[in-house]
Amino acid sequence: VRACKCKVAIAGTKNELFAFQTHPKVDKKAYEASGTLQLKDLTKGFPKGKPVGVLRWSMSTQDDDQVPISINCWPEEDGQDMNVNVEYNVNSVHELHNVCISIPLGTSNVPQIISMDSGTHTHSRNAEELIWEIPLIDAANKSGTLEFNVQQKDSDAFFPINISFGSQQLHAGIDVGAVISTESNAPVQFGLTKGLVTESYKIE
């Protein structure tokens, strides 16, 4: 219970494109002055045994270089088929895990895979989509291309493309440096799990 009466020292280098907002019960002045998350009323502690959000962050940008992964899709007519090149690029230092790129086809026709730089592919006839899965994107494969042909005349059929992925690195750039007791000012031992996951990531 005593460990609930603590303050959290934020570390790392903030991504300046993000806006940060503290919980109403958190001392906003202390956070802005020293990057410390603590309650306004230091006689109270954080809730025990249940998660609570104390800091939120968000970003809105038109700069494609700031997104974790960008996708380009180039459909071109090729006789009775459509030749499609799908390219991904990761511009950040993030390692992305379990990347899944779902490309709608607008038809149950089986696509002919011409080339694929990395990962595996599956075709879902019922969902009418081609799924490109890449277990890990890091410095060794920061860009890649999947090329295929499919019997389809409508170039708009290949949108929107849905992407899901995870990362152990936060795009906002923050980290936890220390947890300190507000009663004794002594360090508190803590564990940390951090991760980035997509809720909705769509290319239209």
Side-chain angles (χ1 to χ4, degrees):
V1 176
R2 288 184 176 275
C4 296
K5 294 183 178 181
C6 64
K7 55 186 177 181
V8 178
I10 298 299
T13 303
K14 287 184 183 178
N15 186 328
E16 296 299 328
L17 294 175
F18 279 77
F20 295 83
Q21 183 178 16
T22 55
H23 188 281
K25 292 185 178 181
V26 168
D27 189 336
K28 185 176 181 180
K29 291 182 179 179
Y31 171 72
E32 292 177 344
S34 62
T36 300
L37 294 171
Q38 64 186 45
L39 295 177
K40 292 177 181 177
D41 185 353
L42 294 180
T43 64
K44 297 181 179 179
F46 290 104
K48 179 187 176 185
K50 67 176 183 179
V52 59
V54 293
L55 181 68
R56 291 179 178 175
W57 51 89
S58 61
M59 180 183 73
S60 178
T61 180
Q62 299 295 320
D63 185 355
D64 289 345
D65 289 340
Q66 295 300 325
V67 297
I69 182 172
S70 60
I71 301 289
N72 288 310
C73 180
W74 302 92
E76 296 180 353
E77 287 192 28
D78 184 11
Q80 296 299 311
D81 294 343
M82 193 75 72
N83 174 257
V84 184
N85 279 272
V86 180
E87 180 185 28
Y88 74 80
N89 283 283
V90 174
N91 297 315
S92 68
V93 296
H94 291 75
E95 289 186 354
L96 304 185
H97 301 266
N98 302 319
V99 180
C100 180
I101 303 171
S102 300
I103 308 155
L105 302 175
T107 176
S108 60
N109 293 325
V110 179
Q112 175 192 357
I113 305 300
I114 297 174
S115 64
M116 182 176 60
D117 288 344
S118 60
T120 60
H121 66 84
T122 55
H123 172 238
S124 173
R125 184 183 294 270
N126 291 336
E128 297 185 347
E129 64 182 8
L130 178 62
I131 302 170
W132 185 13
E133 294 180 292
I134 308 160
L136 174 66
I137 297 178
D138 58 14
N141 62 340
K142 296 187 72 171
S143 65
T145 303
L146 170 66
E147 182 181 2
F148 64 92
N149 285 345
V150 65
Q151 192 172 348
Q152 170 62 270
K153 302 295 288 184
D154 182 10
S155 60
D156 291 334
F158 304 100
F159 301 92
I161 296 174
N162 287 287
I163 312 163
S164 64
F165 58 86
S167 178
Q168 295 180 348
Q169 297 151 299
L170 301 184
H171 198 45
I174 63 172
D175 207 338
V176 174
V179 179
I180 302 164
S181 169
T182 53
E183 292 182 317
S184 65
N185 214 36
V188 175
Q189 186 175 359
F190 69 96
L192 174 65
T193 301
K194 59 182 180 178
L196 179 155
V197 294
T198 54
E199 183 176 284
S200 176
Y201 201 104
K202 188 177 295 186
I203 308 297
E204 297 182 329

